[in-house]
Amino acid sequence: MVILEDLKKTFNPGTPNENNVFKGLSLKINEGDFITVIGGNGAGKSTLLNLIAGVFPVDSGRIILDDNDITHLPEHKRAAFIGRVFQDPMLGTSPSMTIEENLSLAYSRAKNISLRWGLNLYKQKLFKQHLSKIPLGLESRLKTKVKLLSGGQRQALTLVMATMKKPRLLLLDEHTAALDPKTAIMVNNLTEDIVYKNKITTIMVTHNLEHAIKMGNRLIMMHQGQIVMDIKGEEKSTMTIPRLLNKFEQTQGEKFANDRVMLA
Amino acid sequence: MWQSMILNSLEQGLVFGIMALGVYITFKVLNFADLTVDGSFPLGAAMAASLIVSGHSPFLATLAAFIAGGAAGCLTGILNTKAKISDLLSGILTMTSLYSINLRIMGQPNIPLLNQPTVFSLTRDFLIRFFPGFSDKYLYLFSFVILALLTKILLDTFLKTQLGFALRATGDNPQMIRAQGVNIEFAKIFGVALSNAFVGLSGALVAQYQGFADVGLGIGTVVSGLASVIIGEALLGEKPLFITTLGVLLGSFVYRFSISLVLSFRLAQASDLKLLTAIVVIIALTAPQIKKTIKISS
Ligand SMILES: Nc1ncnc2c1ncn2[C@@H]1O[C@H](COP(=O)(O)OP(=O)(O)OP(=O)(O)O)[C@@H](O)[C@H]1O
Ligand SMILES: [Mg+2]
């Protein structure tokens, strides 16, 4: 379970570029929740994930994960229980290293790395097993450098890396946005597959309203640093895009605006 | 003449190759433009020479140079990661400080090592006991082949460990490696330290090989190391790691051999070499871009 308690964050305080993104955001994420997050440009979706992952510190408030206060833990330590996939397929992997070397980094994630071998037969067998669960044939290409993979293959690999050791929380920030529609569907199916099979608590930011409605058990809409909708259960499973947009207009008195949102 | 030229270039290529392997770690693996090298190379020489003339074992003196180089690299790494100074400036600051420190260590700008025991004279004494016919002519080549290959194998092995993987990923994609829970500051400090330890070792060996240590020994070291790395890359292309590191040693030989060619045919004076080296590196660094532009425009 994750509890965000009254998070505040201002970028560039005291400068002309001051940007007060969160004025006190609270959210309780239950064990096994698969939350999809939508919202307009600059609503603070990525910032929310970055604060949870520890990319930058919060100004005030607390982040509690399984009864541990992780508010002040550095990013690389939080990585022990947080898996991430970024929007840019280039960001999740080390391009000049091979698939198996990348997986090895994920395998020893947040353990004390040492001067032991990065690879051995046991690990290689394990990596093959993990990769054979995704329909891309990567299990026979362990020695291929990651820079030779397509964007979709890389995102799939990053997803495997983020979940190989079950994370307490999986953060996905528009991880299919840079992919063509067909590949995006493949990666989304893979995401659901992995998340449900391993019962991973997940937050997935997307600009695709259809995906946001179809996937997960809970849908959150953010607007100007606030959570303006939190839809679960029955309401979530019967939600449609027009109804969602309608609801937004009713509560906010303005139209939903995100230049990248896909309505269909 | 050719034979001795090749022998000399091989010797120099190998002993300076150890330094080039250090440069390879920072510039290529870590993606950290480290100029500490121009100070840690003479630091290694200064350390070894002053310990040897004060009566310490040359092996101990060489080990001390290795450690001192590592410490210098540590300082640069800490300046960069903890004090948030850019990689270039961190290296320059360490290098500048080392100029004074090296003078302090030596107590004078130059220490001759004539008639002093060195790791090579001890190796010769040792070898002659078992192989009375051992020819002095190949003493250095023999020693450098072993030392350079040992360093290369040590580096290859290291880069295959978990920490080595972390270092490579740190240079490749720092954001990813943080998300994988690696303390990237530690990885950087360790990498720069290891690099300069190699450089210090190379400096110590060069001092014993040339028969002196000098404060001015370091000028242009990093550029010549970079030239070796680039030549190796150009000759071998993109290959598995253990071949790439072999390429660094090969590049170092080709670099030294080209220099002796230029000098023996009087194509340039010794004092022009630094300029020539810089030009080689500039060409090598810009060639890929120029190639690209030509491809695009045609
Ligand atoms: N590192 C940063 N430094 C300064 N400002 C930032 C930083 N990261 C985000 N911001 C600002 O915070 C606000 C929220 O940005 P954020 O990236 O969280 O939006 P988003 O909801 O992810 O939008 P999008 O749909 O465009 O990805 C924006 O105004 C942005 O400019
Ligand atoms: Mg975003």
Side-chain angles (χ1 to χ4, degrees), chain A residues 8-46:
Chain A
K8 295 192 178 135
K9 179 71 189 172
T10 301
F11 286 113
N12 310 313
T15 71
N17 291 327
E18 183 169 299
N19 187 352
N20 188 353
V21 180
F22 291 131
K23 303 164 194 80
L25 180 128
S26 299
L27 178 67
K28 190 173 155 209
I29 302 160
N30 299 312
E31 196 62 41
D33 261 354
F34 182 170
I35 303 180
T36 57
V37 180
I38 54 174
N41 295 122
K45 306 178 296 291
S46 300

Side-chain angles (χ1 to χ4, degrees), chain A residues 75-76 79 86 90-97 101-102 104-106 109-110 113-119 123 145 147 161, chain B residues 156-166 168-169 172-173 175-184 186 190 238-239 241:
Chain A
E75 181 182 2
H76 69 267
F86 308 97
M90 314 296 281
L91 288 184
T93 44
S94 174
S96 69
M97 293 172 76
E101 287 169 344
N102 270 280
S104 157
L105 284 166
R109 186 167 85 215
I113 49 169
S114 66
L115 289 174
R116 266 182 295 233
W117 294 119
L119 286 167
K123 285 188 202 172
K145 287 194 175 173
K147 66 175 157 205
M161 286 169 64
Chain B
D156 291 346
T157 311
F158 168 70
L159 289 177
K160 287 208 149 53
T161 64
Q162 294 175 2
L163 186 56
F165 280 7
R168 289 162 59 195
D172 221 18
N173 186 349
Q175 172 161 9
M176 168 261 189
I177 195 67
R178 246 181 268 121
Q180 295 302 339
V182 172
N183 183 343
I184 147 167
F186 172 74
F190 189 91
E238 195 167 311
K239 287 276 149 53
L241 261 172

